[in-house]
Amino acid sequence: MPVAPLSQKEIEDRLAELPGWSLDGNRITRSYRLGSHFAAAAMVVHVARVQEELDHHSDLTLGYRTVSLAVHTHSVGGAVTELDFALARRVEELAPVHGAS
């Protein structure tokens, strides 16, 4: 399925449906706080599995009790596409399982 960059309005509309996510340059980003480093590491593994399922990968950063994502689509010059929002929605669905806020 070919992907196309989203317009600024389309990005804003989709971000309104994803509290905690924001536009940072040409990427959508979100950071989560977790109860422990182990919980954060488990969430990273879970996100990595989802990224493999979608064949769409983010910059994923593990910190002490934190997980951060920065997402854009390389195949369209690093712009934000619907693929990025599909990944963000999936991460939002799995975050509560890990106690992420």
Side-chain angles (χ1 to χ4, degrees):
M1 162 177 75
V3 294
L6 296 174
S7 70
Q8 187 68 29
K9 171 89 169 86
E10 290 170 320
I11 293 169
E12 290 169 5
D13 290 347
R14 284 166 178 76
L15 284 172
E17 299 169 2
L18 288 169
W21 287 83
S22 60
L23 185 63
D24 183 8
N26 65 340
R27 299 170 183 243
I28 58 171
T29 64
R30 171 88 153 87
S31 292
Y32 297 90
R33 289 216 37 89
L34 292 99
S36 68
H37 181 69
F38 186 82
M43 183 172 166
V44 165
V45 171
H46 199 165
V47 170
R49 186 174 65 194
V50 168
Q51 291 178 140
E52 286 296 308
E53 288 172 16
L54 296 176
D55 193 26
H56 190 60
H57 303 85
S58 68
D59 290 336
L60 183 57
T61 305
L62 171 63
Y64 178 69
R65 298 171 56 172
T66 63
V67 173
S68 300
L69 290 93
V71 189
H72 65 175
T73 303
H74 296 279
S75 63
V76 293
V80 176
T81 70
E82 186 55 45
L83 288 173
D84 305 313
F85 284 98
L87 176 57
R89 285 188 292 271
R90 290 282 303 274
V91 172
E92 283 298 302
E93 291 170 3
L94 71 81
V97 172
H98 298 280
S101 60

